[in-house]
């Protein structure tokens, strides 16, 4: 009886276990069925989607860049034919693919695509520019940037912000590198367009970025482009530093925007005391503008602001006054400078004023200036005497001109070709043969230091003044032969006629 009871219990337990196992397999079968149906649906959807997906088309040429390479025209599905540049010894790598997003039946994009292609370009450019400074890589950066522009213009392309979140470098670092490469490859005309892209994509443009860009452009003498970069800086509401403001004066002066250069100087002067270099630049600008009053005002402002003035500054201002025919005012400035301590007057200062008197033919003013030099202990040089002689000759004071030659010799300064030219010119001014012997003696002394063309023209003037005096003509022709200068046919003919007339007598 006991064994029958135990057998019955064992049989019931086995039935219960089988029932539970069957229920478990039923549950698992249901889950597998659901999973299988889901997987089949997903495969079907993907197949339908792939048929609808559009291939990536070319984007055309990128404005401002050279003819695009195939990589620049389209966002590549692969760049195995033109693998991205890497430093020597590095393995080549493929850039991730950027595909155009699928579109729904309504025509809307199904979503923004993977920004990996943009990230790859950004990282390659910034990392590469730090490792490689060759012109070859700089040119490659511009090709990559053209490709970058095409990718950014693709329908459904990711935003630069999305790419930046995955990149090791900031967009500002990327654009700074691109600008640097554009300048280095002498394609600075691209810079303004690159900055325009930064504006379009809301990339931060710091004062440091702008100032570094202007410095790079100035190093390549691209001053007009540097000024265009400054205009961008102002549009962004930034103010240049003192150093940059000082440089802007020079940029504007170099490209002939003189009024703008003056405005930059005024801005700088309102911020701080300009450097001597900035003062000299604006003085050159005023000289080009023939603005004597402004030049004089700057010269006096320098004294008021404690900027050291020297002979170079004074002489530059004096030269502006003379070129503007403000000779009396320039002479008055010399008197004013005479009271400067330490003294800044030198022989160039007086020679500049002498030049002004010479241009006017004012012999009296020139001789007065020469006397003032001597009284103030400033030793004249050859230029001083020649300029004073020229003023005397132009003013009709020929005798004073020859007296100055004597003073030149006493000062230990030998006459030169300029002295000869000036004093030969005096023969025509005097209208007589009185100084022909002195001119011939001077030509005999200095002729060896004159070029043949000049010497020939000087003797021609002496012959003209000597005619028809046979003695002077004969002396002049004989001296010309001794110095290897051919006498003109007219002079030889005149001598022959004089000789025949003398024989007839």
């Amino acid at each position: 009886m006991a064994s029958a009871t135990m057998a019955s219990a064992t049989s019931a337990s086995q039935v219960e276990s089988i029932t539970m196992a069957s229920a478990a397999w039923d549950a698992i079968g249901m889950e597998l069925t659901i999973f299988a149906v889901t997987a089949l649906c997903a495969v079907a959807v993907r197949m339908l989607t792939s048929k609808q997906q559009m291939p990536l088309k070319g984007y055309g040429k990128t404005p401002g860049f050279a003819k695009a390479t195939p990589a620049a025209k389209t966002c590549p599905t692969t760049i195995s034919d033109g693998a991205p540049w890497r430093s020597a010894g590095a393995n080549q790598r493929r850039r991730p693919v950027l595909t155009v997003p699928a579109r729904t039946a309504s025509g809307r994009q199904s979503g923004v695509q993977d920004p990996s292609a943009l990230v790859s370009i950004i990282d390659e450019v910034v990392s590469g520019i730090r490792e490689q400074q060759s012109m070859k890589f700089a040119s490659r950066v511009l090709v990559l940037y053209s490709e970058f522009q095409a990718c950014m213009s693709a329908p459904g392309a990711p935003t630069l912000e999305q790419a930046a979140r995955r990149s090791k470098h900031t967009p500002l670092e990327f654009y700074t590198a691109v600008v640097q490469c554009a300048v280095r490859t002498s394609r600075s005309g691209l810079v303004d367009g690159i900055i325009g892209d930064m504006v379009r994509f809301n990339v931060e443009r710091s004062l440091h970025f702008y100032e570094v860009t202007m410095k790079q452009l100035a190093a390549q003498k691209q001053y007009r482009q540097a000024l265009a970069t400054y205009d961008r800086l102002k549009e962004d509401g930034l103010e240049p530093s003192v150093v940059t403001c000082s440089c802007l004066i020079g940029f504007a002066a170099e490209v002939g925007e003189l009024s703008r250069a003056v405005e930059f100087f005024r801005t700088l002067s309102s911020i701080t005391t300009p450097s001597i270099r900035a003062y000299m630049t604006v003085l050159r600008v005023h000289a080009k503008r023939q603005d004597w009053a402004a030049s004089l005002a700057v010269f006096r402002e320098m004294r008021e602001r404690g900027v050291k003035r020297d002979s170079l500054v004074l002489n530059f201002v004096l030269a502006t006054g003379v070129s503007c025919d403000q000779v009396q005012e320039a002479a008055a400035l010399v008197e004013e400078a005479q009271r400067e301590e330490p003294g800044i007057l030198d022989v160039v200062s007086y020679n500049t004023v002498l030049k002004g008197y010479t241009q006017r033919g004012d012999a009296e003013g020139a001789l007065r200036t020469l006397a003032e030099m001597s009284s103030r202990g400033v030793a004249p040089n050859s230029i001083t005497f020649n300029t004073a002689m020229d003023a005397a000759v132009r003013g009709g004071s020929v005798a004073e001109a020859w007296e100055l030659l004597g003073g030149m010799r006493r000062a230990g300064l030998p006459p030169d070709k300029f002295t000869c030219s000036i004093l030969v010119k005096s023969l025509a001014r005097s209208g007589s043969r009185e100084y022909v012997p002195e001119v011939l003696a001077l030509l005999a002394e200095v002729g060896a230091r004159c070029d043949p063309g000049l010497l020939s023209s000087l003797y021609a003037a002496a012959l003209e003044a000597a005619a028809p005096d046979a003695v002077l003509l004969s002396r002049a022709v004989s001296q010309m032969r001794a110095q290897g200068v051919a006498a003109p046919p007219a002079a030889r003919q005149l001598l022959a006629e004089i000789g025949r007339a003398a024989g007839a007598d």
Side-chain angles (χ1 to χ4, degrees), residues 293-314:
S295 295
L296 188 59
V298 168
F299 182 75
R300 289 172 175 162
E301 178 190 315
M302 292 175 70
R303 178 183 59 193
E304 294 168 1
R305 302 188 75 162
V307 179
K308 184 179 179 181
R309 304 178 297 178
D310 57 13
S311 299
L312 180 62
V313 176
L314 172 63

Side-chain angles (χ1 to χ4, degrees), residues 11-298:
S11 177
S13 176
Q14 288 176 346
V15 171
E16 183 179 357
S17 297
I18 291 171
T19 303
M20 292 177 64
S22 177
W25 278 111
D26 289 343
I28 292 172
M30 181 62 70
E31 293 293 334
L32 288 174
T33 301
I34 294 172
F35 174 78
V37 171
T38 303
L40 288 172
C41 291
V43 170
V45 170
R46 181 167 184 100
M47 291 176 64
L48 290 173
T49 302
S50 63
K51 290 181 179 180
Q52 294 176 355
Q53 195 169 26
M54 298 168 57
L56 187 60
K57 301 295 183 181
Y59 299 105
K61 296 182 179 179
T62 304
F65 283 83
K67 185 176 180 180
T69 62
K73 291 181 179 179
T74 62
C75 210
T77 57
T78 177
I79 46 177
S80 57
D81 294 336
W85 177 93
R86 299 213 49 190
S87 58
N91 295 325
Q92 296 292 335
R93 56 185 171 84
R94 295 177 183 270
R95 185 174 297 115
V97 177
L98 175 65
T99 58
V100 173
R103 295 177 178 270
T104 62
S106 63
R108 295 184 180 181
Q109 296 174 0
S110 61
V112 176
Q113 299 302 299
D114 187 355
S116 298
L118 295 177
V119 173
S120 179
I121 294 175
I122 293 171
D123 290 343
E124 179 177 347
V125 168
V126 180
S127 298
I129 201 68
R130 294 173 179 175
E131 300 171 8
Q132 176 69 279
Q133 294 295 320
S134 68
M135 292 294 291
K136 181 178 180 181
F137 179 70
S139 298
R140 172 156 176 76
V141 166
L142 297 185
V143 174
L144 289 173
Y145 185 65
S146 189
E147 180 181 326
F148 177 87
Q149 286 183 308
C151 290
M152 289 295 293
S153 302
T159 65
L160 187 56
E161 182 182 358
Q162 290 172 318
R165 283 199 295 265
R166 294 181 53 180
S167 172
K168 296 181 292 184
H169 307 284
T170 67
L172 180 59
E173 290 176 318
F174 170 68
Y175 277 102
T176 299
V178 173
V179 167
Q180 178 184 341
C181 292
V183 176
R184 287 183 59 211
T185 55
S186 301
R187 302 185 68 186
S188 57
L190 302 177
V191 171
D192 194 62
I194 295 169
I195 297 176
D197 287 346
M198 296 176 72
V199 174
R200 185 157 59 100
F201 297 130
N202 296 318
V203 178
E204 173 195 9
R205 301 167 301 284
S206 65
L207 178 61
H208 177 72
F209 164 78
Y210 280 120
E211 293 191 327
V212 168
T213 300
M214 285 188 282
K215 181 179 179 181
Q216 292 170 345
L217 290 166
Q220 298 292 329
K221 301 188 183 302
Q222 299 296 323
Y223 303 115
R224 193 173 297 281
Q225 190 61 50
L227 288 173
T229 302
Y230 165 78
D231 292 336
R232 289 281 192 179
L233 178 153
K234 290 297 291 183
E235 288 173 5
D236 284 350
L238 300 173
E239 292 296 333
S241 66
V242 170
V243 174
T244 298
C245 196
S246 181
C247 292
L248 287 167
I249 303 170
F251 298 164
E254 288 288 345
V255 300
E257 295 189 23
L258 305 183
S259 298
R260 198 174 190 191
V262 172
E263 287 301 317
F264 285 137
F265 179 80
R266 288 174 181 166
T267 300
L268 177 65
S269 187
S270 66
I271 299 171
T272 186
T273 299
S275 64
I276 185 66
R277 181 176 181 178
Y279 273 115
M280 286 302 299
T281 302
V282 79
L283 284 173
R284 284 195 292 272
V285 169
H286 290 320
K288 290 179 181 179
R289 300 176 77 193
Q290 294 283 284
D291 194 337
W292 160 249
S295 295
L296 188 59
V298 168

Side-chain angles (χ1 to χ4, degrees), residues 332-453:
L333 182 58
V334 168
E335 290 293 327
E336 180 183 324
Q338 181 65 29
R339 297 187 290 271
E340 289 279 334
E341 291 294 340
I344 59 175
L345 283 171
D346 60 11
V347 64
V348 177
S349 308
Y350 287 102
N351 288 350
T352 303
V353 176
L354 278 171
K355 179 182 177 181
Y357 284 124
T358 300
Q359 291 172 347
R360 286 185 168 190
D362 188 345
E364 183 180 350
L367 294 172
R368 183 174 62 251
T369 301
L370 186 60
E372 290 174 358
M373 287 182 68
S374 300
S375 66
R376 291 169 180 169
V378 180
N381 57 20
S382 297
I383 296 174
T384 308
F385 281 109
N386 286 336
T387 306
M389 286 180 207
D390 197 13
V393 170
R394 294 188 187 196
S397 302
V398 176
E400 284 81 356
W402 283 96
E403 288 178 7
L404 286 170
L405 175 60
M408 186 177 186
R409 294 184 187 278
R410 289 190 294 273
L413 301 170
D416 54 25
K417 62 181 181 181
F418 301 105
T419 312
C420 287
S421 298
I422 292 166
L423 292 178
V424 167
K425 188 168 56 179
S426 73
L427 295 176
R429 295 281 184 174
S430 64
S432 68
R433 294 185 293 277
E434 178 183 356
Y435 293 103
V436 172
E438 284 82 355
V439 166
L440 291 175
L442 187 60
L443 287 172
E445 177 185 355
V446 183
R449 299 195 293 273
C450 298
D451 61 83

